[in-house]
Amino acid sequence: MPSPDAALPEVAAVARDLIRFDTTNHGGGRAAGEREAAEYVGAYLAGLGLSPEYHEPIPRRTNVMARVPGRNRDKPALVLHGHLDVVPAIAADWTVDPFEGVVRDGMLWGRGAVDMKDMDAMILTSVADILRGGEQPERDLILAFFADEENGGVEGSALVVQDKPEWFDGATEAISEVGGYSIAVGDRRAYLLQVGEKALIWIRLVARGRAAHGSSHHADNAVTKLAGAVAALGRTDWPITLTDTTREMAARLADLTGAGGDDPDAIAAATGAASGFLRSTLRTTTNPTGLTAGYKHNVIPDRAEALIDVRVLPGTEDAALADIRRIVGDDVDVEIVHQDIGLEVPFGGDLVDAMVAALGRHDPGIPVIPYLLGGGTDNKALASLGIAGYGFAPLRLPADLDFTGMFHGVDERVPIDALVFGQRVLTDLLRTY
Protein backbone atom coordinates (compact mmCIF):
# COMPACT_ATOMS: atom_id res chain seq x y z
CA MET A 1 0.00 0.00 0.00
CA PRO A 2 1.21 3.55 -0.59
CA SER A 3 3.08 5.36 2.14
CA PRO A 4 0.59 7.45 4.16
CA ASP A 5 0.42 11.10 3.12
CA ALA A 6 -2.79 12.97 3.83
CA ALA A 7 -1.70 15.80 1.55
CA LEU A 8 -1.46 13.58 -1.56
CA PRO A 9 -4.19 11.84 -3.56
CA GLU A 10 -3.59 8.10 -3.58
CA VAL A 11 -2.71 8.02 -7.29
CA ALA A 12 0.10 10.53 -6.67
CA ALA A 13 1.29 8.68 -3.56
CA VAL A 14 1.52 5.40 -5.49
CA ALA A 15 3.40 7.09 -8.36
CA ARG A 16 5.75 8.71 -5.84
CA ASP A 17 6.43 5.37 -4.14
CA LEU A 18 7.20 3.74 -7.49
CA ILE A 19 9.60 6.56 -8.42
CA ARG A 20 11.51 5.88 -5.20
CA PHE A 21 12.43 2.42 -6.48
CA ASP A 22 15.53 2.93 -8.63
CA THR A 23 14.72 0.69 -11.57
CA THR A 24 17.28 2.20 -13.93
CA ASN A 25 17.77 0.27 -17.15
CA HIS A 26 21.00 0.94 -19.06
CA GLY A 27 20.14 -1.63 -21.72
CA GLY A 28 22.04 -4.65 -22.88
CA GLY A 29 21.26 -6.52 -19.67
CA ARG A 30 22.73 -3.79 -17.44
CA ALA A 31 19.89 -2.85 -15.13
CA ALA A 32 19.15 -2.29 -11.45
CA GLY A 33 16.20 -4.65 -11.77
CA GLU A 34 12.49 -4.26 -11.16
CA ARG A 35 12.05 -6.79 -8.35
CA GLU A 36 11.26 -4.42 -5.45
CA ALA A 37 8.91 -2.32 -7.58
CA ALA A 38 7.15 -5.47 -8.80
CA GLU A 39 6.77 -6.71 -5.22
CA TYR A 40 5.25 -3.35 -4.25
CA VAL A 41 2.77 -3.66 -7.12
CA GLY A 42 2.02 -7.27 -6.17
CA ALA A 43 1.38 -6.30 -2.54
CA TYR A 44 -0.96 -3.53 -3.66
CA LEU A 45 -2.87 -5.95 -5.88
CA ALA A 46 -3.06 -8.54 -3.08
CA GLY A 47 -4.45 -5.82 -0.81
CA LEU A 48 -7.34 -5.50 -3.26
CA GLY A 49 -8.12 -9.19 -2.91
CA LEU A 50 -6.42 -10.19 -6.16
CA SER A 51 -3.92 -13.00 -6.69
CA PRO A 52 -0.76 -11.61 -8.30
CA GLU A 53 1.57 -13.90 -10.22
CA TYR A 54 5.25 -13.21 -10.83
CA HIS A 55 7.58 -14.19 -13.63
CA GLU A 56 11.32 -13.60 -13.22
CA PRO A 57 13.06 -15.41 -16.09
CA ILE A 58 16.24 -13.44 -15.44
CA PRO A 59 17.32 -12.62 -11.87
CA ARG A 60 15.78 -9.36 -10.64
CA ARG A 61 13.98 -8.71 -13.96
CA THR A 62 10.55 -9.23 -12.43
CA ASN A 63 7.15 -9.08 -14.12
CA VAL A 64 3.85 -9.20 -12.24
CA MET A 65 0.27 -9.87 -13.37
CA ALA A 66 -3.21 -10.15 -11.86
CA ARG A 67 -6.61 -10.82 -13.42
CA VAL A 68 -9.70 -8.91 -12.27
CA PRO A 69 -12.99 -10.73 -12.95
CA GLY A 70 -15.54 -8.69 -14.85
CA ARG A 71 -19.32 -8.59 -14.75
CA ASN A 72 -19.60 -9.93 -18.28
CA ARG A 73 -17.28 -12.90 -18.67
CA ASP A 74 -18.48 -13.37 -22.27
CA LYS A 75 -16.72 -10.21 -23.39
CA PRO A 76 -13.04 -10.42 -24.39
CA ALA A 77 -10.62 -9.43 -21.66
CA LEU A 78 -8.83 -6.08 -21.73
CA VAL A 79 -5.12 -5.82 -20.89
CA LEU A 80 -3.86 -2.79 -18.98
CA HIS A 81 -0.09 -2.84 -18.89
CA GLY A 82 2.82 -0.73 -17.82
CA HIS A 83 6.55 -1.07 -17.39
CA LEU A 84 8.45 -0.66 -14.16
CA ASP A 85 11.91 0.22 -15.51
CA VAL A 86 13.16 3.71 -16.32
CA VAL A 87 15.99 5.17 -18.38
CA PRO A 88 19.07 6.47 -16.53
CA ALA A 89 19.05 9.89 -14.87
CA ILE A 90 22.20 11.88 -14.09
CA ALA A 91 21.38 13.45 -10.73
CA ALA A 92 23.77 16.38 -11.21
CA ASP A 93 21.69 17.56 -14.18
CA TRP A 94 18.41 17.60 -12.24
CA THR A 95 16.88 20.25 -10.00
CA VAL A 96 15.82 17.49 -7.58
CA ASP A 97 16.99 13.97 -6.77
CA PRO A 98 15.47 11.97 -9.64
CA PHE A 99 14.61 9.05 -7.33
CA GLU A 100 13.25 10.97 -4.34
CA GLY A 101 9.70 11.47 -5.63
CA VAL A 102 9.63 15.17 -4.79
CA VAL A 103 6.34 17.09 -4.77
CA ARG A 104 6.88 20.72 -5.74
CA ASP A 105 4.72 23.43 -7.32
CA GLY A 106 1.76 21.07 -7.64
CA MET A 107 3.82 18.51 -9.54
CA LEU A 108 5.39 15.14 -8.84
CA TRP A 109 9.04 15.12 -9.93
CA GLY A 110 11.25 12.14 -10.65
CA ARG A 111 12.45 9.64 -13.19
CA GLY A 112 9.36 7.78 -14.31
CA ALA A 113 6.89 10.55 -13.46
CA VAL A 114 6.03 10.67 -17.17
CA ASP A 115 7.49 7.40 -18.48
CA MET A 116 5.63 5.57 -17.04
CA LYS A 117 5.14 5.20 -13.31
CA ASP A 118 2.36 7.77 -13.56
CA MET A 119 0.29 5.38 -15.69
CA ASP A 120 1.24 2.42 -13.48
CA ALA A 121 -0.26 4.32 -10.55
CA MET A 122 -3.36 5.27 -12.54
CA ILE A 123 -3.98 1.62 -13.44
CA LEU A 124 -3.60 0.44 -9.85
CA THR A 125 -5.74 3.13 -8.24
CA SER A 126 -8.46 2.98 -10.91
CA VAL A 127 -8.90 -0.73 -10.26
CA ALA A 128 -8.79 -0.01 -6.51
CA ASP A 129 -11.61 2.54 -6.84
CA ILE A 130 -13.81 -0.06 -8.51
CA LEU A 131 -13.05 -2.99 -6.22
CA ARG A 132 -13.16 -1.05 -2.96
CA GLY A 133 -16.63 0.15 -3.92
CA GLY A 134 -17.80 -3.45 -4.14
CA GLU A 135 -18.07 -3.22 -7.93
CA GLN A 136 -16.61 -5.15 -10.84
CA PRO A 137 -15.29 -3.85 -14.13
CA GLU A 138 -17.48 -4.50 -17.17
CA ARG A 139 -15.16 -7.22 -18.48
CA ASP A 140 -12.14 -9.17 -17.22
CA LEU A 141 -9.08 -6.98 -16.80
CA ILE A 142 -5.56 -8.35 -17.07
CA LEU A 143 -3.14 -6.08 -15.22
CA ALA A 144 0.47 -6.62 -16.30
CA PHE A 145 3.58 -4.74 -15.22
CA PHE A 146 6.68 -5.58 -17.24
CA ALA A 147 10.44 -5.36 -16.88
CA ASP A 148 12.89 -4.07 -19.50
CA GLU A 149 10.61 -2.01 -21.75
CA GLU A 150 13.33 0.63 -22.07
CA ASN A 151 15.51 -2.01 -23.72
CA GLY A 152 12.85 -3.05 -26.20
CA GLY A 153 11.30 -5.56 -23.78
CA VAL A 154 13.93 -8.18 -24.63
CA GLU A 155 14.21 -9.30 -20.99
CA GLY A 156 10.63 -8.37 -20.10
CA SER A 157 7.46 -8.54 -22.20
CA ALA A 158 9.09 -10.62 -24.94
CA LEU A 159 9.88 -13.36 -22.44
CA VAL A 160 6.50 -13.06 -20.73
CA VAL A 161 4.53 -13.64 -23.93
CA GLN A 162 6.89 -16.50 -24.76
CA ASP A 163 6.79 -18.18 -21.35
CA LYS A 164 3.41 -17.12 -19.95
CA PRO A 165 0.99 -16.65 -22.86
CA GLU A 166 -1.79 -18.04 -20.64
CA TRP A 167 -1.64 -14.80 -18.64
CA PHE A 168 -3.42 -13.16 -21.57
CA ASP A 169 -6.01 -15.83 -22.36
CA GLY A 170 -9.18 -14.31 -23.75
CA ALA A 171 -7.71 -10.85 -24.36
CA THR A 172 -8.08 -9.07 -27.68
CA GLU A 173 -7.15 -5.46 -26.85
CA ALA A 174 -4.69 -3.61 -24.64
CA ILE A 175 -4.14 -0.13 -23.21
CA SER A 176 -0.82 1.32 -22.19
CA GLU A 177 1.32 4.48 -22.29
CA VAL A 178 1.92 7.54 -24.48
CA GLY A 179 -1.58 8.48 -25.50
CA GLY A 180 -4.68 10.12 -24.10
CA TYR A 181 -2.80 13.24 -22.98
CA SER A 182 -3.69 16.78 -23.99
CA ILE A 183 -1.69 19.12 -26.20
CA ALA A 184 -2.06 22.80 -27.08
CA VAL A 185 -3.17 23.34 -30.67
CA GLY A 186 -2.91 27.06 -31.17
CA ASP A 187 -5.15 28.48 -28.46
CA ARG A 188 -7.18 25.27 -28.15
CA ARG A 189 -6.74 21.94 -26.40
CA ALA A 190 -6.90 18.50 -28.00
CA TYR A 191 -6.17 14.95 -26.86
CA LEU A 192 -3.91 12.53 -28.71
CA LEU A 193 -4.96 8.88 -28.83
CA GLN A 194 -2.17 6.53 -29.84
CA VAL A 195 -3.22 3.96 -32.44
CA GLY A 196 0.15 2.90 -33.79
CA GLU A 197 3.90 2.80 -33.29
CA LYS A 198 6.88 3.09 -35.57
CA ALA A 199 9.18 0.10 -35.88
CA LEU A 200 12.40 0.21 -33.90
CA ILE A 201 15.74 -0.79 -35.42
CA TRP A 202 18.81 -0.29 -33.24
CA ILE A 203 21.89 -0.53 -35.41
CA ARG A 204 25.64 -0.44 -34.84
CA LEU A 205 27.92 1.14 -37.44
CA VAL A 206 31.36 -0.45 -37.54
CA ALA A 207 34.32 1.07 -39.36
CA ARG A 208 37.63 -0.72 -39.69
CA GLY A 209 41.03 0.59 -40.59
CA ARG A 210 44.70 0.03 -39.83
CA ALA A 211 46.17 0.77 -36.42
CA ALA A 212 49.06 3.24 -36.43
CA HIS A 213 50.91 5.91 -34.47
CA GLY A 214 48.87 9.04 -33.87
CA SER A 215 51.47 11.19 -35.61
CA SER A 216 51.22 9.24 -38.89
CA HIS A 217 50.12 10.51 -42.28
CA HIS A 218 47.39 7.90 -42.38
CA ALA A 219 44.50 7.49 -44.80
CA ASP A 220 43.08 4.25 -43.39
CA ASN A 221 41.64 5.71 -40.15
CA ALA A 222 38.61 3.90 -38.73
CA VAL A 223 37.54 6.94 -36.68
CA THR A 224 37.53 9.19 -39.73
CA LYS A 225 35.47 6.68 -41.71
CA LEU A 226 32.99 6.33 -38.87
CA ALA A 227 32.71 10.07 -38.27
CA GLY A 228 31.78 10.66 -41.90
CA ALA A 229 29.13 7.95 -41.82
CA VAL A 230 27.63 9.15 -38.53
CA ALA A 231 27.46 12.74 -39.73
CA ALA A 232 25.89 11.74 -43.04
CA LEU A 233 23.24 9.59 -41.39
CA GLY A 234 22.50 12.00 -38.56
CA ARG A 235 22.04 14.90 -40.99
CA THR A 236 19.80 13.01 -43.40
CA ASP A 237 16.47 14.81 -43.80
CA TRP A 238 14.16 11.87 -44.39
CA PRO A 239 11.11 12.56 -46.56
CA ILE A 240 7.58 12.75 -45.21
CA THR A 241 5.58 9.57 -45.80
CA LEU A 242 2.03 9.53 -44.50
CA THR A 243 0.20 6.48 -43.17
CA ASP A 244 -3.54 6.20 -42.60
CA THR A 245 -3.04 7.42 -39.04
CA THR A 246 -0.75 10.37 -39.76
CA ARG A 247 -2.89 11.45 -42.71
CA GLU A 248 -5.95 11.61 -40.44
CA MET A 249 -3.93 13.29 -37.68
CA ALA A 250 -2.77 16.03 -40.07
CA ALA A 251 -6.27 16.57 -41.42
CA ARG A 252 -7.82 16.89 -37.96
CA LEU A 253 -5.09 19.22 -36.72
CA ALA A 254 -5.48 21.38 -39.84
CA ASP A 255 -9.22 21.60 -39.19
CA LEU A 256 -8.50 22.90 -35.68
CA THR A 257 -5.92 25.50 -36.64
CA GLY A 258 -6.54 26.37 -40.27
CA ALA A 259 -2.74 26.33 -40.55
CA GLY A 260 -0.35 24.48 -42.76
CA GLY A 261 -2.40 23.82 -45.84
CA ASP A 262 -1.08 20.58 -47.31
CA ASP A 263 2.22 20.69 -45.42
CA PRO A 264 2.15 18.14 -42.56
CA ASP A 265 5.27 19.68 -40.98
CA ALA A 266 3.63 23.09 -40.83
CA ILE A 267 0.46 21.56 -39.44
CA ALA A 268 2.43 19.75 -36.72
CA ALA A 269 4.29 22.98 -35.91
CA ALA A 270 0.97 24.49 -34.77
CA THR A 271 1.03 22.12 -31.78
CA GLY A 272 3.85 24.04 -30.10
CA ALA A 273 5.80 21.97 -27.60
CA ALA A 274 4.39 18.72 -28.99
CA SER A 275 5.49 19.49 -32.55
CA GLY A 276 8.84 17.70 -32.31
CA PHE A 277 7.09 14.58 -31.07
CA LEU A 278 4.53 14.69 -33.89
CA ARG A 279 6.95 15.60 -36.68
CA SER A 280 8.96 12.48 -35.86
CA THR A 281 5.91 10.37 -36.70
CA LEU A 282 5.82 11.66 -40.29
CA ARG A 283 9.16 10.19 -41.40
CA THR A 284 12.03 7.85 -40.66
CA THR A 285 14.45 9.13 -38.01
CA THR A 286 18.10 8.09 -37.58
CA ASN A 287 19.68 9.57 -34.46
CA PRO A 288 23.27 8.78 -33.41
CA THR A 289 23.27 7.94 -29.69
CA GLY A 290 26.71 6.49 -28.91
CA LEU A 291 30.34 6.43 -30.07
CA THR A 292 33.14 4.03 -29.14
CA ALA A 293 36.69 4.18 -30.50
CA GLY A 294 40.29 4.27 -29.44
CA TYR A 295 42.26 3.45 -26.32
CA LYS A 296 45.10 6.01 -26.23
CA HIS A 297 45.61 9.55 -27.45
CA ASN A 298 48.56 8.72 -29.70
CA VAL A 299 47.25 5.45 -31.15
CA ILE A 300 45.03 5.36 -34.23
CA PRO A 301 42.63 2.45 -33.57
CA ASP A 302 41.72 -0.16 -36.13
CA ARG A 303 38.02 -0.18 -35.20
CA ALA A 304 35.38 2.43 -34.39
CA GLU A 305 31.69 1.95 -33.59
CA ALA A 306 28.55 4.07 -33.34
CA LEU A 307 25.04 3.34 -32.12
CA ILE A 308 22.12 4.68 -34.13
CA ASP A 309 18.50 4.70 -32.98
CA VAL A 310 16.40 4.14 -36.10
CA ARG A 311 12.61 4.47 -36.11
CA VAL A 312 10.73 3.73 -39.31
CA LEU A 313 7.12 3.69 -40.39
CA PRO A 314 5.36 0.31 -40.31
CA GLY A 315 6.19 -1.73 -43.39
CA THR A 316 9.20 0.33 -44.51
CA GLU A 317 11.90 -1.50 -42.55
CA ASP A 318 13.72 -3.15 -45.48
CA ALA A 319 13.68 -0.01 -47.62
CA ALA A 320 15.01 2.09 -44.74
CA LEU A 321 17.89 -0.30 -44.05
CA ALA A 322 18.82 -0.28 -47.75
CA ASP A 323 18.88 3.53 -47.69
CA ILE A 324 20.99 3.54 -44.52
CA ARG A 325 23.58 1.22 -46.09
CA ARG A 326 23.73 3.47 -49.16
CA ILE A 327 24.18 6.60 -47.02
CA VAL A 328 27.01 5.25 -44.84
CA GLY A 329 28.84 3.71 -47.78
CA ASP A 330 30.75 0.53 -48.40
CA ASP A 331 33.51 1.27 -45.86
CA VAL A 332 31.15 1.00 -42.89
CA ASP A 333 29.26 -2.13 -41.82
CA VAL A 334 25.69 -1.95 -40.55
CA GLU A 335 24.89 -4.45 -37.79
CA ILE A 336 21.37 -4.89 -36.40
CA VAL A 337 21.45 -4.96 -32.60
CA HIS A 338 17.68 -5.17 -32.07
CA GLN A 339 14.67 -4.92 -34.35
CA ASP A 340 10.96 -5.06 -33.66
CA ILE A 341 7.75 -4.46 -35.57
CA GLY A 342 5.68 -1.40 -36.35
CA LEU A 343 2.00 -1.28 -35.47
CA GLU A 344 -1.06 0.53 -36.75
CA VAL A 345 -4.66 -0.16 -35.76
CA PRO A 346 -7.82 1.67 -36.86
CA PHE A 347 -9.01 4.81 -35.13
CA GLY A 348 -12.43 3.29 -34.65
CA GLY A 349 -14.32 0.46 -33.01
CA ASP A 350 -15.89 -0.03 -29.61
CA LEU A 351 -12.76 0.53 -27.51
CA VAL A 352 -11.75 3.71 -29.35
CA ASP A 353 -15.30 4.99 -29.06
CA ALA A 354 -15.28 4.21 -25.34
CA MET A 355 -11.96 5.99 -24.74
CA VAL A 356 -13.12 9.06 -26.66
CA ALA A 357 -16.41 9.07 -24.76
CA ALA A 358 -14.67 8.75 -21.38
CA LEU A 359 -12.49 11.77 -22.15
CA GLY A 360 -15.57 13.64 -23.32
CA ARG A 361 -17.41 13.05 -20.07
CA HIS A 362 -14.56 14.57 -18.06
CA ASP A 363 -13.46 17.30 -20.50
CA PRO A 364 -16.49 18.02 -22.70
CA GLY A 365 -16.16 19.36 -26.20
CA ILE A 366 -12.41 18.73 -26.57
CA PRO A 367 -11.44 16.89 -29.78
CA VAL A 368 -9.55 13.58 -29.71
CA ILE A 369 -7.03 13.04 -32.51
CA PRO A 370 -5.32 9.79 -33.57
CA TYR A 371 -1.55 9.67 -33.80
CA LEU A 372 1.31 7.31 -34.50
CA LEU A 373 3.91 7.06 -31.73
CA GLY A 374 7.48 7.72 -32.80
CA GLY A 375 8.78 5.45 -30.04
CA GLY A 376 7.57 2.05 -28.93
CA THR A 377 5.76 0.24 -26.12
CA ASP A 378 5.17 -3.31 -24.91
CA ASN A 379 2.10 -3.39 -27.15
CA LYS A 380 4.48 -4.85 -29.74
CA ALA A 381 5.06 -7.98 -27.68
CA LEU A 382 1.33 -8.42 -27.07
CA ALA A 383 0.70 -8.07 -30.81
CA SER A 384 2.36 -11.47 -31.25
CA LEU A 385 -0.62 -12.90 -29.33
CA GLY A 386 -3.12 -11.12 -31.60
CA ILE A 387 -3.82 -8.35 -29.07
CA ALA A 388 -4.42 -4.89 -30.56
CA GLY A 389 -2.72 -2.19 -28.49
CA TYR A 390 -3.52 1.48 -27.88
CA GLY A 391 -1.87 4.29 -25.95
CA PHE A 392 -4.28 5.78 -23.43
CA ALA A 393 -2.79 7.30 -20.29
CA PRO A 394 -5.23 10.21 -19.98
CA LEU A 395 -3.78 13.45 -18.64
CA ARG A 396 -5.23 16.98 -18.88
CA LEU A 397 -2.10 19.13 -18.97
CA PRO A 398 -1.29 22.85 -18.78
CA ALA A 399 -0.80 24.39 -22.22
CA ASP A 400 2.67 25.68 -21.28
CA LEU A 401 4.04 22.35 -20.04
CA ASP A 402 6.45 20.67 -22.47
CA PHE A 403 5.16 17.23 -21.56
CA THR A 404 6.48 15.34 -24.57
CA GLY A 405 9.94 16.84 -24.00
CA MET A 406 10.08 15.14 -20.59
CA PHE A 407 10.13 11.61 -22.00
CA HIS A 408 13.71 10.58 -21.16
CA GLY A 409 14.45 14.23 -20.34
CA VAL A 410 15.78 16.13 -17.34
CA ASP A 411 13.45 17.26 -14.51
CA GLU A 412 10.69 14.86 -15.56
CA ARG A 413 7.47 15.81 -13.76
CA VAL A 414 3.70 15.52 -13.99
CA PRO A 415 0.96 17.72 -12.46
CA ILE A 416 -0.79 16.02 -9.57
CA ASP A 417 -4.18 17.27 -10.75
CA ALA A 418 -3.46 15.61 -14.13
CA LEU A 419 -2.91 12.30 -12.35
CA VAL A 420 -6.22 12.67 -10.53
CA PHE A 421 -7.94 13.51 -13.83
CA GLY A 422 -6.38 10.48 -15.50
CA GLN A 423 -7.41 8.14 -12.71
CA ARG A 424 -11.01 9.33 -12.95
CA VAL A 425 -11.14 8.94 -16.74
CA LEU A 426 -9.57 5.48 -16.60
CA THR A 427 -11.89 4.35 -13.80
CA ASP A 428 -14.87 5.56 -15.82
CA LEU A 429 -13.66 3.62 -18.87
CA LEU A 430 -13.14 0.41 -16.91
CA ARG A 431 -16.59 0.61 -15.32
CA THR A 432 -18.35 1.00 -18.65
CA TYR A 433 -16.35 -0.72 -21.40
Side-chain angles (χ1 to χ4, degrees):
M1 302 301 289
S3 304
D5 190 335
L8 277 185
E10 185 179 10
V11 63
V14 171
R16 176 205 58 195
D17 288 355
L18 289 171
I19 287 169
R20 290 175 174 174
F21 295 105
D22 182 351
T23 53
T24 298
N25 188 350
H26 293 275
R30 297 179 300 116
E34 298 83 1
R35 181 183 292 167
E36 288 78 16
E39 289 172 346
Y40 173 96
V41 168
Y44 188 99
L45 295 169
L48 299 177
L50 301 173
S51 301
E53 298 180 33
Y54 296 90
H55 184 49
E56 189 178 281
I58 296 171
R60 295 194 51 76
R61 310 311 304 275
T62 315
N63 308 270
V64 58
M65 182 279 299
R67 184 179 284 257
V68 185
R71 294 189 301 269
N72 190 337
R73 305 303 295 277
D74 294 330
K75 288 187 175 182
L78 176 66
V79 181
L80 287 91
H81 64 95
H83 62 85
L84 296 172
D85 62 324
V86 296
V87 296
I90 300 174
D93 295 339
W94 283 57
T95 304
V96 302
D97 182 334
F99 297 104
E100 189 178 345
V102 172
V103 175
R104 179 186 293 182
D105 302 325
M107 296 193 184
L108 174 64
W109 298 57
R111 179 58 88 211
V114 166
D115 185 11
M116 67 167 291
K117 291 176 177 179
D118 58 339
M119 178 58 169
D120 294 336
M122 288 158 56
I123 293 170
L124 291 170
T125 53
S126 293
V127 171
D129 275 356
I130 293 171
L131 297 182
R132 288 173 186 161
E135 303 175 77
Q136 287 180 283
E138 172 61 20
R139 64 184 68 218
D140 277 14
L141 304 178
I142 300 166
L143 314 180
F145 299 85
F146 295 118
D148 202 45
E149 190 274 345
E150 297 293 1
N151 186 47
V154 175
E155 296 185 350
S157 59
L159 295 181
V160 172
V161 300
Q162 171 188 292
D163 300 340
K164 297 286 185 178
E166 66 275 10
W167 278 9
F168 307 100
D169 283 351
T172 57
E173 295 169 317
I175 291 173
S176 189
E177 58 178 329
V178 206
Y181 57 90
S182 69
I183 60 170
V185 184
D187 59 355
R188 301 183 62 183
R189 182 165 66 250
Y191 287 94
L192 294 177
L193 179 57
Q194 191 254 98
V195 296
E197 306 177 7
K198 291 168 76 176
L200 178 153
I201 312 174
W202 282 337
I203 63 172
R204 180 186 294 111
L205 303 184
V206 180
R208 294 175 176 83
R210 181 170 54 85
H213 195 286
S215 66
S216 304
H217 177 69
H218 191 71
D220 194 17
N221 188 314
V223 176
T224 303
K225 294 175 186 177
L226 181 72
V230 169
L233 195 54
R235 290 171 179 161
T236 296
D237 187 11
W238 294 89
I240 291 174
T241 305
L242 298 181
T243 70
D244 290 345
T245 300
T246 54
R247 189 174 293 108
E248 185 169 0
M249 177 191 76
R252 289 179 179 239
L253 287 173
D255 287 344
L256 284 179
T257 64
D262 295 327
D263 182 355
D265 266 337
I267 293 168
T271 63
S275 60
F277 219 59
L278 296 185
R279 290 185 66 206
S280 73
T281 73
L282 305 174
R283 49 173 57 79
T284 291
T285 58
T286 48
N287 286 307
T289 55
L291 294 167
T292 304
Y295 46 90
K296 195 172 187 301
H297 209 134
N298 61 347
V299 179
I300 298 171
D302 61 0
R303 180 185 175 98
E305 301 180 359
L307 302 178
I308 312 291
D309 189 328
V310 181
R311 310 290 174 129
V312 305
L313 299 171
T316 68
E317 293 90 333
D318 291 344
L321 284 169
D323 283 338
I324 287 168
R325 290 188 171 97
R326 173 183 54 78
I327 291 166
V328 303
D330 294 338
D331 284 343
V332 175
D333 294 331
V334 177
E335 299 177 354
I336 296 176
V337 177
H338 176 66
Q339 181 173 354
D340 64 23
I341 60 172
L343 301 175
E344 194 167 21
V345 293
F347 183 61
D350 290 345
L351 177 55
V352 169
D353 291 346
M355 291 187 285
V356 171
L359 281 170
R361 286 191 290 272
H362 293 267
D363 199 1
I366 305 302
V368 180
I369 295 171
Y371 90 110
L372 184 76
L373 177 63
T377 76
D378 286 317
N379 277 328
K380 292 177 177 178
L382 294 176
S384 67
L385 300 177
I387 298 171
Y390 298 84
F392 188 69
L395 297 167
R396 183 171 57 197
L397 299 164
D400 60 351
L401 181 68
D402 183 8
F403 179 73
T404 58
M406 292 183 196
F407 283 86
H408 299 188
V410 172
D411 285 345
E412 188 178 342
R413 59 198 184 275
V414 64
I416 289 172
D417 61 3
L419 291 174
V420 173
F421 172 86
Q423 179 197 5
R424 290 172 179 166
V425 173
L426 197 58
T427 302
D428 190 354
L429 174 70
L430 302 181
R431 280 195 176 110
T432 56
Y433 176 67

